Each structure stands twice: as C-alpha cells, then as structure tokens.
Amino acid sequence: MEFRWIKSLFSLSLSLCLWESGLSALAASPGSIDKTEECELLIVGGGLAGVAASYEALLAGKTVCLTEITDWMGGQISSQGTSALDERTTQREKLFYPRGYLELRDRIEEYYGKLNPGECWVSASCFLPKDADKIITQQLEAAAEEGGGTLKWFPTTVIKELNVEEVAGEGTGKQITSAIAIQHTAKNEFLPLNTLPLSYTIEEAYTYESSDNYDKSIIRFVPQSSSEGSADWYVVEATETGEIVGLADVPYRLGIDPTSSREPSSSSSTGNPYCTQGFTYTFAMEATEEPQTHEMPPFYPEHAGYYSYELERLADFDLVFTYRRIWSPETGESEKFSGISFTSPTPGDISMQNWTWGNDYRPGTAKDNLIYTRQQLEELGQLEPGGWMGGLRTETLQKGEEHALGYFYWLVEGDTDSQLGDGVKKPQPDNRLLTGLDSPMGTVHGLSKYPYIREGRRIIGRPYRGYPNGFTINETDISRVDYKSEYYNQNLSPVTYRQLWTEIDGLEALRNKDMAIDKITRRTRSTIYPDSVGIGHYAIDFHPCMRESPAEKAGNTEREGERQGGGAAYPFQIPLRAMIPQEIDNLLVAGKSIATSHIAAAAYRVHSFEWSSGAAAGITAIFALDEQLMPYQLVDELFIDEEQLKVLKDKLDRSGNPTAFPETSIFNQSWDDWQ
C-alpha cells in the first residue's frame, strides 16, 4: 500500500519539477532585503559541527546566527537520519569526548531513560531522529541561558550570495562582509514542508521569488556592531557538502587525490573529482504483527539488480534489522548469527536503514556525480553573481531517493541478491515503511530530510613548511596500514616508494633513530600537530563510488582499488591549519570540509569528530574576536613561537574540549591499545 501514494507523490513532483525548470531565470536578482540580522558568528549548517560551534559561542555569551537548509538541528543524527552514534571502543570506554558531545549523550540517556532505546548492536546509542532535533534544540537553549548568548535560528534557510571585500591589513586582505540568504516557509496548506523529497524542492529553495507553494524571506547577515563601533565577525562553514567553500570559490579538492607518497593507497594516479563516497537517504521501518501489502514502486526494476546483503556473514534479515534498530519497546529473544549476538525484532520495533549495498547511492562519473566540481559550477553559471543553486546535481538526488525506496521494497519483497546469488534473500512482508510528518524521519515520503553525506568539498589549507602546495591531512598521517605489503612495492613507482619510506622514517623519527628502515613496517602512531585544536577516532571506512553510470545498473562494480586505503586508523588530531582556507581571513571550516585527503576524509567524518571540529571552530572564533586577531596569525610562525596559540589550546583543554588523546605523545610510540 505504501507505494500508491509514492507514485502520486512523484507524479506531483514531476509536475513541480517542470514548473521549476523556469526558476533559474529568476535566480539572479535578490530584489529587496526583507530584514537584516547582526551576529558575531554566522554559522552555516545546522549539523553537529554547526551545533557544536553554536554551543560554545552561546556559552561564551556571543550572538550566533545559525542557518540550516532543513527545519531540524542535528544533521547526521536528525535530518540525515543516521541516529546511531559511530564511536570507537577505547574512546567510548574512556568517555574522552568534547564536553558538548558528552552532554548530548547524557541528554539522550535522560530523554529515554537509557542510552540505547533501540537496542542496536552497531553502537552504544541508537535513537529516533525526530527526538534528536528536540534534544539538540534544548541543549542549545540551555547553553544560551547559561552563558548569556543569543541564538538566532534560521531553519529552511540557504546562503545565496557572499560579499567578499578587500580589507586593509595583513593576510589575504579578503573578508566576508555580508551574506544574503533565502528562507522559505510553506504557503500551501495541502503541501506543508517535508511533503516532497529534497530533489523537488532544493532548486526553489535557492530562488528569490515566492511561489504558490512557498513564501520567501530575503535576509542579509552582517557583523554585529560593538559599543566601540567596530564590526567584526566570523563565518563558520559547517555545511554537509562544503557549500560555502564552493560558493566562496576558495581552493578545494573533491573526490580522489592522485597517488603520492602521502596518499599511497589512492585508486588513481591522476585523481578523479567525480568519485566521492556514496550518499544515503535513510528511512525507518517498523516490524508488524501481520504481513503487509507492498506494491512495487515503478522505478524498482531499474534498481533491483544492485541490492544485496553484501557478505555471507551478514545475510540475515534480523541481523540487518537490528544493526541500526532505533526503537525497541519490548526486548526480543536472544539470537546469534555469524558470531554476532543480538535480540530478535518484535512487533513495534523500528529500524533505521543505512546499508552499503542497499540505500547507499554511489555515483562516480561526470554524468552523475552529486557534488558539482568547480568546472561544472562554472559551466552551469553557479559562480556568477546570484547564480548559486546549492552546487548539487538534482537528478542524482532524485535517483538516490528512488534507490532508497527501492531498497525498502527489496527488504520486504525481494528474493534476489546481486552479490550472493540465488536462494539467499527471502521476502520479509511483516514490516512497513514509516511515513508522515510525525514519523521518525518527519517526512510524508518517509525518507530522511537530507541525505547522509560522507564526503564533500575539502579545502586546501594555506602553504606552510612541509606543505608548499597547501596544508592537508593525508592517509599516512593516520593509517595503520602495513606499507611493506607487496601492493605498494608493485604499484608505486620506485621514486614514490622511496619517498613513502622517507616520509614514514621522518614521522617515526624518535622510534627509528637506532633502527634500519627495512625493520620499519608501518606507522606506530598518527601525526602529532602542534596546532591541534580537536580530536577524533574512527576507521578509514569506505563506501566507494561505482565504476559505471548509472550507479544502480545491474552488474555494476565498485571502482577498483578504492577500498585499498580502508582499515584501522590511530586516534587523530584536528590541526587548526586544516580549518583555515586560503584567500579569506574570517572564514573557518568545520566538519567534513576541513583540509583532508580523500582517504583521510573517510575517517574524519563521524559524529564525535564533527562535534570536536565544530567546538574548535567556535572557540577559535571567540578567541579571535576577543583578542582582535585573525586565526591565520595563530599558526603563521608555528615552528618559531606562537604564544597566543598556546593560550587558545589551553582554553580548549580547560573548557573540556581536548586537543589530544591521553598517553599519545611523541614519547609514547605505540598506540595500538586504542581500538
């Protein structure tokens, strides 16, 4: 029954899409400004990085303008639906996280009476996305009350234009002096917000004119004037795709980096900007007492040849259902499959689905890449004044939406498996897709409001000693890979292979001063940065792009070599240099768009990292405002003497935002105990 209304919805959406095709002509002129908002921090993106930056600024008594394309705060854990905290064992056991992230965990536990109301087995905490928005909102309200800060919250708001001006002084001499945003609200009572999938509303979100369905408010954000008459502010890029990075047109990378001594596991000798990690529209499904009637969606046959349990050890429906089960009012019987213990689903249990060979959509060519490259943006006119339309390929968003709905149908009615063959997949009709504005995802169609994005535009930091082409966190800075394996000897050029070991020898200098190079097999720790302002730990985890277009094509395969760099990583740091872009002095970057390589980004992307980077951005901006300096000035003489950097790091550590893991100094050369 679910898909009857979905057919109607997509039919309605198609009509709207045709109507919207004429909107691009309306995109270039803002007309009149409806209101002007002053702030000390303009934080763009209401995900965990943006929330963390806001949290610290509010505790410090600052005025924060926080914008978000959806109407929920929380990003990964709310609007993107991935409400299962990705945490590493040792860090979780030690509870070594930023203070705001610890408070979030406490608030989840207080809200439900337990930390894991879903009794999932992938995480210590799985919960409902719609509740995450409430919990995050309450946390920011409490921070504002405690610190005396002011939160100006702008849901369903996108940044359309940036005013970047030359400013006298050192540095690049450029600053963002104002930003123009568009906020949309529902006008049609029969078409409230979150009725249509994102692909059918995103283009209208970036056009100035109101329509039959949406009222638009044009907002100008400007720095807050102080009593002394000065007007300083910072803009924090905390979007999911690096949207402000693209709009500001600062140097960045996208997709695969070329093979090098610092990125030796790259799958491309030349790089590939179209192959980013797959994105995922999550959804929630509920176990039922009786079998449900499920009508095949019209687009299912195009996608059916993709879906799979992936591995024999995972080929069990109950295992997959409980993997990210986010609500379990009654504990089921104990089960075990392939050595994994879990409790069986019972009617009323709710599972959130986020599966590589399921609802992951993994385009990787110039025909279908989701995040437009700079060249594509330029060709589309999105870098022209007033031309910005979000920087995403709308058709690929729609494909991802259909792909996710098709995966639900495969789970409940499918009997094929693209990777494991016949006789593995059995229908599971005793389940239903949860839809409606009061559903866990808060949408009429049942999909998350925004897809879970694993990788976006990644800035190239400023040139520093050892980084003449711009600062970047690389694969070799964090990986536990054994680079003595035959793969590297055979696939790297002799010059690159020697450079790789020269790099590792230098990074392991203390350990190796009395050791021959042929005795070294791998890193024993991650790189320690003198300008670290945050921490994170996760495996280098890949959801690779597919080789051909369309991604869902039967028989398609993952891009060869993309998983080579995957595997365990050491606990790592977030250097301030990775958060400072080139060309603009009052822009700080948090979340997935900091300066990492493609392989390093596969670890620098989970919940606690996002929070730590956001907290670091918030506190750094506060420090810069209070001390009347620019962030780049904290690291421009890094290897001489940076007293103010020491003060900032001390401020972070004392506030409960650690800049290093315990017992992970250069004198402790083996970090293998961190799991």
Side-chain angles (χ1 to χ4, degrees):
M1 294 292 289
E2 303 100 336
F3 291 106
R4 289 180 183 171
W5 68 264
I6 288 173
K7 278 171 142 180
S8 301
L9 178 59
F10 273 79
S11 176
L12 171 61
S13 299
L14 179 60
S15 299
L16 284 171
C17 189
L18 292 172
W19 168 74
E20 287 173 352
S21 65
L23 289 175
S24 59
L26 305 176
S29 175
S32 60
I33 302 297
D34 294 307
K35 57 182 174 180
T36 297
E37 295 286 352
E38 294 188 353
C39 32
E40 292 168 285
L41 272 74
L42 169 59
I43 300 173
V44 186
L48 290 177
V51 164
S54 301
Y55 173 83
E56 293 296 340
L58 293 170
L59 285 173
K62 302 300 182 183
T63 299
V64 174
C65 297
L66 176 61
T67 71
E68 164 59 21
I69 189 172
T70 74
D71 57 347
W72 279 359
M73 293 183 190
Q76 284 197 49
I77 64 172
S78 60
S79 59
Q80 295 170 49
T82 51
S83 52
L85 300 180
D86 285 319
E87 300 172 342
R88 297 304 293 169
T89 304
T90 306
Q91 189 177 13
R92 182 172 61 240
E93 288 173 351
K94 294 179 180 292
L95 288 178
F96 201 74
Y97 298 108
R99 63 175 174 179
Y101 185 82
L102 288 171
E103 182 180 332
L104 171 63
R105 292 173 103 257
D106 289 344
R107 284 179 175 273
I108 292 168
E109 187 168 13
E110 181 181 358
Y111 187 88
Y112 291 107
K114 60 173 77 172
L115 185 59
N116 189 6
E119 295 184 9
C120 65
W121 56 270
V122 70
S123 170
S125 184
C126 292
F127 45 92
L128 299 172
K130 67 176 182 179
D131 293 337
D133 169 61
K134 299 173 188 173
I135 292 167
I136 286 283
T137 300
Q138 292 168 359
Q139 184 170 346
L140 288 192
E141 289 172 348
E145 183 175 353
E146 178 182 343
T150 301
L151 176 63
K152 299 181 179 182
W153 164 232
F154 298 91
T156 61
T157 300
V158 298
I159 301 298
K160 177 70 173 178
E161 299 188 55
L162 296 174
N163 188 40
V164 180
E165 296 182 3
E166 299 280 351
V167 177
E170 298 178 1
T172 67
K174 291 182 182 178
Q175 294 186 28
I176 298 172
T177 56
S178 66
I180 295 178
I182 304 170
Q183 184 174 47
H184 67 274
T185 54
K187 179 189 291 185
N188 187 336
E189 63 179 309
F190 300 107
L191 199 68
L193 291 176
N194 304 307
T195 298
L196 297 172
L198 178 67
S199 67
Y200 296 103
T201 62
I202 190 169
E203 291 184 11
E204 187 172 358
Y206 286 89
T207 58
Y208 284 117
E209 281 71 12
S210 296
S211 68
D212 290 341
N213 298 313
Y214 301 106
D215 282 321
K216 305 289 182 66
S217 178
I218 313 304
I219 307 165
R220 178 191 287 121
F221 292 108
V222 298
Q224 178 172 296
S225 299
S226 68
S227 56
E228 292 80 23
S230 63
D232 296 325
W233 72 341
Y234 281 90
V235 178
V236 176
E237 152 68 278
T239 66
E240 303 303 320
T241 62
E243 188 174 332
I244 298 304
V245 170
L247 175 58
D249 200 21
V250 298
Y252 62 88
R253 296 185 181 94
L254 191 60
I256 301 170
D257 300 296
T259 305
S260 70
S261 59
R262 294 181 175 181
E263 194 84 349
S265 302
S266 173
S267 65
S268 172
S269 61
T270 58
N272 185 326
Y274 309 113
C275 178
T276 57
Q277 292 224 41
F279 68 94
T280 308
Y281 276 100
T282 59
F283 58 83
M285 57 190 294
E286 181 183 41
T288 59
E289 291 272 8
E290 302 293 335
Q292 307 294 300
T293 300
H294 303 287
E295 184 177 349
M296 180 189 295
F299 42 77
Y300 179 73
E302 301 170 24
H303 298 258
Y306 172 92
Y307 305 121
S308 173
Y309 282 135
E310 185 175 0
L311 301 170
E312 288 186 11
R313 63 182 176 84
L314 301 175
D316 178 80
F317 177 81
D318 286 357
L319 185 86
V320 172
F321 185 97
T322 57
Y323 185 54
R324 289 187 175 91
R325 180 172 49 191
I326 55 177
W327 179 248
S328 183
E330 182 178 333
T331 301
E333 297 180 0
S334 296
E335 282 193 55
K336 197 168 190 177
F337 186 85
S338 297
I340 300 171
S341 299
F342 55 94
T343 58
S344 61
T346 58
D349 281 8
I350 299 173
S351 173
M352 176 267 290
Q353 287 298 313
N354 173 18
W355 197 254
T356 306
W357 283 90
N359 46 341
D360 274 15
Y361 197 64
R362 302 189 278 163
T365 73
K367 298 177 182 178
D368 58 3
N369 61 310
L370 174 65
I371 302 172
Y372 284 132
T373 66
R374 189 190 184 283
Q375 180 180 343
Q376 290 171 325
L377 291 172
E378 197 166 35
E379 290 170 351
L380 292 166
Q382 292 206 35
L383 298 182
E384 295 296 322
W388 186 251
M389 296 295 288
L392 302 181
R393 190 188 299 269
T394 305
E395 298 84 359
T396 297
L397 284 174
Q398 182 180 348
K399 280 281 194 175
E401 291 155 358
E402 293 175 352
H403 191 67
L405 292 171
Y407 175 54
F408 170 75
Y409 184 79
W410 180 83
L411 284 171
V412 296
E413 295 292 344
D415 59 4
T416 61
D417 189 299
S418 68
Q419 305 302 300
L420 302 179
D422 296 336
V424 175
K425 177 65 175 64
K426 308 295 183 187
Q428 303 288 335
D430 296 1
N431 293 274
R432 69 186 184 102
L433 180 69
L434 293 179
T435 61
L437 297 178
D438 61 347
S439 69
M441 298 297 169
T443 61
V444 171
H445 46 83
L447 300 177
S448 54
K449 299 183 177 191
Y450 197 88
Y452 171 40
I453 303 291
R454 295 181 177 86
E455 181 183 0
R457 299 178 182 89
R458 313 180 310 273
I459 64 166
I460 302 171
R462 300 185 180 198
Y464 295 96
R465 192 170 80 179
Y467 302 91
N469 298 317
F471 183 85
T472 302
I473 302 165
N474 295 290
E475 171 193 348
T476 53
D477 288 313
I478 65 171
S479 178
R480 299 193 191 203
V481 162
D482 177 5
Y483 293 113
K484 286 288 188 182
S485 76
E486 276 303 300
Y487 173 87
Y488 298 97
N489 195 19
Q490 292 176 2
N491 287 276
L492 298 180
S493 71
V495 171
T496 302
Y497 190 68
R498 283 195 300 272
Q499 288 175 337
L500 167 64
W501 285 102
T502 300
E503 296 266 357
I504 291 178
D505 184 43
L507 292 167
E508 296 284 291
L510 283 182
R511 174 175 180 254
N512 300 334
K513 62 183 179 179
D514 299 316
M515 185 181 294
I517 254 187
D518 61 359
K519 302 294 185 185
I520 309 166
T521 58
R522 60 179 174 86
R523 295 294 308 272
T524 59
R525 59 172 173 82
S526 62
T527 298
I528 297 173
Y529 297 102
D531 57 332
S532 175
V533 289
I535 59 170
H537 192 201
Y538 200 65
I540 300 173
D541 180 29
F542 276 104
H543 294 238
C545 73
M546 302 301 282
R547 186 169 54 88
E548 297 181 32
S549 177
E552 70 275 13
K553 180 171 114 176
N556 207 354
T557 57
E558 296 178 349
R559 179 184 172 88
E560 185 177 359
E562 263 296 270
R563 291 186 184 269
Q564 177 63 36
Y570 291 109
F572 46 77
Q573 297 178 334
I574 305 169
L576 181 57
R577 284 169 292 172
M579 301 170 64
I580 301 173
Q582 298 181 31
E583 299 184 2
I584 297 178
D585 291 339
N586 67 339
L587 175 63
L588 283 168
V589 178
K592 291 183 281 284
S593 288
I594 68 170
T596 58
S597 70
H598 173 65
I599 292 176
Y604 280 77
R605 65 176 176 82
V606 296
H607 304 82
S608 64
F609 152 74
E610 281 207 1
W611 192 285
S612 186
S613 70
I619 292 176
T620 299
I622 295 161
F623 184 76
L625 285 170
D626 291 346
E627 299 298 322
Q628 287 294 292
L629 53 78
M630 289 289 179
Y632 76 85
Q633 294 174 309
L634 296 168
V635 292
D636 57 353
E637 296 181 347
L638 193 58
F639 298 99
I640 301 175
D641 189 23
E642 288 286 9
E643 286 299 324
Q644 289 172 312
L645 175 62
K646 294 175 185 176
V647 175
L648 171 63
K649 286 170 64 71
D650 184 60
K651 183 181 181 72
L652 283 156
D653 287 322
R654 285 189 295 102
S655 69
N657 290 286
T659 61
F661 284 93
E663 300 177 357
T664 56
S665 72
I666 58 173
F667 302 106
N668 178 359
Q669 291 295 304
S670 181
W671 298 6
D672 285 338
D673 290 342
W674 284 85
Q675 301 298 317

